[in-house]
């Protein structure tokens, strides 16, 4: 059986050492590298293959949710499991939108981690027991799912829905087209979508338009 080439990404040495010791005797896992920041991971993955990444959210240089997306852009086949202390529903959901195959809290058991890895290998989304409970709770007024946008972003969203280009929007709002493009990219990221068409659908579903 080929072992999963596994990276651990966490800025706390006690956590990385604990995970290494925990997974040392797992027959299907080989810890190939440990990283304490996001940039080193991205640099490593330019020349190396990783089958599995155990990723923390709080890193000193790159937000773990953003790093998740960057890793998937470099290596779509890599399985990412977020391993974090953050219990906010919005963070969990955004991590999954950004390409994570699962989300576990750091108080998870080895059995939960094994189960998550097995499910992720099948192509499924997986959670530790406590995270699954958080996900299953009704959100308060659905507020977890509605991205917070600025007044300017709302203006640009409205003009995009009318089919206007960045050039035209810039002229109407006295902004450069590059500034409009930046706002558009920020909106796409906030809503966790891929393009303007999906952005319009998401904004409509949230009754923002």
């Amino acid at each position: 059986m080929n072992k999963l080439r596994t990276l651990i990404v966490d800025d706390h040495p006690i956590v990385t050492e604990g995970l290494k010791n925990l997974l040392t005797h797992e027959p299907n896992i080989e810890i190939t590298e440990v990283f304490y920041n996001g940039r080193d991971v991205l640099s490593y993955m330019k020349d190396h293959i990783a089958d599995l990444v155990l990723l923390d959210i709080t890193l000193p240089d790159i937000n773990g949710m953003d790093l998740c997306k960057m890793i998937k852009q470099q290596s779509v086949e890599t399985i990412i499991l977020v391993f974090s202390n953050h219990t906010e529903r919005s963070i969990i959901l955004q991590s999954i939108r950004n390409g994570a195959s699962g989300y576990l809290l750091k108080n998870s058991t080895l059995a939960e981690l094994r189960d998550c890895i097995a499910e992720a290998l099948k192509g499924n989304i997986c959670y530790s027991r406590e995270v699954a409970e958080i996900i299953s709770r009704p959100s308060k007024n659905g507020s977890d799912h509605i991205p917070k946008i600025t007044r300017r972003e709302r203006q640009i969203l409205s003009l995009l829905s009318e089919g206007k280009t960045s050039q035209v929007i810039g002229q109407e709002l006295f902004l450069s087209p590059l500034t409009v493009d930046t706002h558009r990219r920020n909106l796409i990221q906030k809503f966790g979508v891929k393009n303007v068409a999906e952005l319009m659908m998401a904004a409509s579903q949230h009754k923002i338009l």
Side-chain angles (χ1 to χ4, degrees):
M1 179 175 62
N2 291 330
K3 292 191 174 187
L4 297 171
R5 291 160 290 190
T6 303
L7 309 182
I8 299 173
V9 188
D10 195 300
D11 64 340
H12 292 94
I14 194 167
V15 173
T16 59
E17 285 303 313
L19 276 172
K20 281 173 64 178
N21 291 335
L22 200 63
L23 298 172
T24 294
H25 302 296
E26 292 299 297
N28 63 332
I29 288 177
E30 176 188 357
I31 306 295
T32 51
E33 291 289 343
V34 172
F35 296 99
Y36 301 100
N37 63 68
R39 297 193 188 285
D40 287 348
V41 179
L42 295 174
S43 177
Y44 174 87
M45 292 191 66
K46 288 178 183 176
D47 303 308
H48 301 83
I49 295 171
D51 302 308
L52 174 66
V53 177
L54 300 178
L55 174 65
D56 191 14
I57 289 293
T58 306
L59 297 170
D61 55 349
I62 303 174
N63 178 288
M65 291 182 290
D66 294 335
L67 181 58
C68 184
K69 183 181 286 188
M70 294 175 190
I71 291 172
K72 294 299 281 190
Q73 287 171 344
Q74 282 191 203
S75 175
V76 70
E77 298 298 326
T78 298
I79 293 170
I80 302 172
L81 296 180
V82 174
F83 202 69
S84 173
N85 280 326
H86 286 283
T87 58
E88 294 88 345
R89 183 190 179 103
S90 57
I91 290 177
I92 297 168
L93 294 174
Q94 189 60 50
S95 298
I96 301 302
R97 290 191 199 105
N98 285 5
S101 293
Y103 197 108
L104 302 95
L105 298 185
K106 288 184 177 178
N107 62 359
S108 301
T109 65
L110 177 57
E112 287 178 302
L113 181 53
R114 282 178 184 147
D115 289 344
C116 261
I117 292 171
E119 286 301 309
L121 286 170
K122 296 175 189 174
N124 298 327
I125 301 294
C126 52
Y127 304 109
S128 62
R129 180 188 54 78
E130 196 171 336
V131 172
E133 289 175 1
I134 294 168
I135 292 293
S136 66
R137 292 175 200 150
S139 59
K140 297 175 183 175
N141 302 321
S143 59
D144 295 285
H145 301 277
I146 303 175
K148 293 179 181 177
I149 62 175
T150 65
R151 183 178 61 83
R152 178 67 82 192
E153 287 172 341
R154 192 177 291 273
Q155 286 178 318
I156 289 172
L157 192 59
S158 177
L159 293 170
L160 284 170
S161 71
E162 296 172 13
K164 293 180 178 177
T165 64
S166 295
Q167 187 78 33
V168 172
I169 293 172
Q171 289 171 355
E172 290 193 21
L173 299 179
F174 303 102
L175 300 171
S176 74
L178 285 176
T179 300
V180 176
D181 285 341
T182 298
H183 282 301
R184 189 182 70 238
R185 283 196 299 272
N186 288 341
L187 282 164
I188 286 172
Q189 183 173 11
K190 283 185 178 184
F191 280 86
V193 294
K194 297 176 183 174
N195 51 47
V196 171
E198 290 186 9
L199 176 62
M200 294 302 104
M201 289 176 60
S204 179
Q205 287 170 356
H206 290 310
K207 296 182 170 53
I208 293 175
L209 288 176

